[in-house]
Amino acid sequence: MTTKNTKAFGSEAPDAELKEMTVERRNLMPNDVAIEILYCGVCHSDLHTARNDWGGTKYPTVPGHEIVGRITQVGSEVSKFKVGDLAGVGCLVDSCGTCASCKNDLEQYCLNGFTGTYNSNDPHLNSYTFGGYSENVVVTQNFVLKVPTNLDLAAVAPLLCAGITTWSPLRHWNVGKDSKVAVVGLGGLGHMAIKLAKGLGATVTLFSRTPGKTEDAKALGADEVIISTDDAEMESVKGKFDLIIDTVPYVHDANPYISTLNISGTLVMVGYLGGLEPSLNTVPMILGRKAVAGSVIGGIAETQEMLYFCGEHNIVSDIEIIKMQEINKAYERMLRSDVKYRFVIDMASLKN
Ligand code: NAP
Ligand code: ZN
């Protein structure tokens, strides 16, 4: 397989800053498209990966899985796109295509393991994948999304991860106009969860640790904000929610949220990976048929559905545009929850 060098930004060790580097992209196979990356969102997973929070990061690593750009080249068998089209790439760039999950449009649960946009074994090169903090990317057409043309392109980028990660549970648990949904944490995922749940007609509550976010949350569409450290406020929503989406990235006590679920309600964890501390108390779950679930991103068809829904409802992310060279500062700000509400890199800055 022949390859081409591309300029990128990545890190060489868990405690190293991200810096400019060169990585290889494969030359196009018949079903591939090449995309010039225009914007790339900054997900907290990028930071977890760069700093090896989850273990298993291969270095050098190039994060970035909220990619929008323009098609610059198509392989001989590509029918879905032509040169000049807008395109999106999220967290998935391939999967086996033959297992029960893949056959049911659930590539994110591929039984043979999906190929992630970064830090995944690359089935084509004797290497691993590099993400969207780069000039361009080569992806098989079936994992490339069509982007609505009526939306601000930079603000579309975060839909490719933050959007689909919150859309998928909203759809799986059939959220609609009679639903009462709560979101834990107002960050990149949390603010998209509010907008999308609202777009589906639900009544939406935000749980936040941070009192200063109340006005913003309401402007984003939340009907109510509950400060999760205030016992009286927590008590006021006891037994209320059909679905809670918990986006908190670090270990935390999830028990207080269980008591705010309605009978048969579900708390779905999308943020923190690992054992909860304190552990979950089963009593309120058993006595109220309450469930705790998890969910990872979403399939390709579901991602396309979400992008079209956002196009129809004029939903995009609230973003702060940064230059590629500002990424290390942006990570520090993200750790302090000091971003409204997603950083997006203007990839033109990498060309300078
Ligand atoms: P983010 O923008 O940093 O937002 C996280 C929010 O959680 C913060 O704004 C903050 O909201 C709250 N928070 C942060 N630290 C906390 C702590 N120690 N205790 C309680 N609350 C805390 O992150 P993000 O990009 O939305 O990502 C959230 C998590 O989802 C990350 O771990 C990321 O890796 C993961 N993720 C999962 C998937 C998936 O498929 N399941 C996909 C993408 C990302 P308040 O200030 O309002 O409390
Ligand atoms: Zn992400």
Side-chain angles (χ1 to χ4, degrees):
M1 172 81 53
T2 55
T3 60
K4 214 184 266 172
N5 283 344
T6 183
K7 210 195 268 188
F9 228 79
S11 86
E12 283 177 344
D15 54 357
E17 297 220 311
L18 278 74
K19 60 172 192 183
E20 197 174 307
M21 55 178 61
T22 300
V23 296
E24 288 185 329
R25 298 290 187 205
R26 66 176 181 264
N27 282 317
L28 265 60
M29 300 193 299
N31 273 300
D32 285 341
V33 300
I35 302 167
E36 180 197 7
I37 301 173
L38 299 174
Y39 297 102
C40 186
V42 179
C43 179
H44 209 110
S45 303
D46 300 353
L47 184 156
H48 287 311
T49 301
R51 300 190 177 182
N52 201 25
D53 288 349
W54 296 326
T57 299
K58 305 169 189 41
Y59 292 96
T61 189
V62 173
H65 58 203
E66 294 184 337
I67 298 168
V68 290
R70 205 170 279 286
I71 306 267
T72 54
Q73 214 187 336
V74 295
S76 57
E77 286 172 25
V78 169
S79 52
K80 201 172 149 188
F81 296 96
K82 56 182 190 325
V83 170
D85 285 351
L86 292 176
V89 178
C91 307
L92 303 170
V93 289
D94 217 340
S95 70
C96 81
T98 56
C99 73
S101 294
C102 288
K103 283 187 171 155
N104 285 304
D105 291 324
L106 295 168
E107 298 87 354
Q108 75 275 33
Y109 303 115
C110 175
L111 299 176
N112 295 302
F114 64 76
T115 306
T117 304
Y118 56 77
N119 200 49
S120 242
N121 285 330
D122 187 325
H124 305 293
L125 302 179
N126 190 18
S127 177
Y128 54 93
T129 54
F130 297 103
Y133 298 1
S134 61
E135 282 182 310
N136 56 59
V137 66
V138 174
V139 183
T140 186
Q141 61 174 336
N142 290 343
F143 282 75
V144 180
L145 287 309
K146 297 193 188 230
V147 171
T149 51
N150 61 316
L151 301 175
D152 172 27
L153 206 53
V156 166
L159 302 179
L160 275 306
C161 174
I164 183 59
T165 300
T166 50
W167 176 257
S168 188
L170 291 169
R171 297 289 284 150
H172 182 73
W173 277 278
N174 295 315
V175 165
K177 63 177 171 40
D178 298 325
S179 309
K180 291 191 173 64
V181 173
V183 175
V184 188
L186 186 61
L189 267 55
H191 93 292
M192 286 314 309
I194 292 174
K195 290 188 184 207
L196 293 169
K198 206 65 203 164
L200 288 165
T203 305
V204 185
T205 298
L206 171 73
F207 287 116
S208 177
R209 312 161 293 174
T210 315
K213 290 182 177 176
T214 301
E215 252 177 55
D216 278 8
K218 292 199 169 163
L220 291 164
D223 298 284
E224 172 188 49
V225 177
I226 298 291
I227 300 303
S228 52
T229 48
D230 184 315
D231 292 344
E233 288 196 26
M234 290 298 282
E235 183 67 22
S236 73
V237 287
K238 203 171 168 193
K240 177 166 178 177
F241 303 111
D242 304 306
L243 182 70
I244 303 176
I245 300 182
D246 182 334
T247 75
V248 174
Y250 298 99
V251 66
H252 59 287
D253 186 1
N255 289 299
Y257 303 113
I258 308 267
S259 55
T260 71
L261 284 172
N262 194 355
I263 304 302
S264 304
T266 299
L267 169 69
V268 58
M269 309 292 300
V270 296
Y272 172 66
L273 282 173
L276 287 170
E277 285 165 36
S279 53
L280 287 172
N281 180 354
T282 64
V283 174
M285 289 191 253
I286 288 174
L287 296 182
R289 198 168 59 186
K290 297 174 183 181
V292 177
S295 183
V296 74
I297 45 177
I300 296 298
E302 199 174 41
T303 307
Q304 192 62 71
E305 172 196 69
M306 178 271 312
L307 286 168
Y308 287 151
F309 179 88
C310 289
E312 273 165 37
H313 291 79
N314 269 307
I315 295 174
V316 286
S317 176
D318 281 28
I319 61 167
E320 287 189 47
I321 295 197
I322 59 165
K323 294 189 177 122
M324 189 69 260
Q325 296 76 7
E326 293 168 332
I327 189 69
N328 294 301
K329 273 193 206 139
Y331 277 6
E332 293 309 317
R333 284 189 51 201
M334 184 159 62
L335 276 174
R336 297 195 299 270
S337 298
D338 173 24
V339 45
K340 292 188 171 185
Y341 276 89
R342 198 61 143 183
F343 291 115
V344 171
I345 308 159
D346 178 354
M347 295 310 305
S349 58
L350 188 58
K351 291 190 172 34
N352 301 331

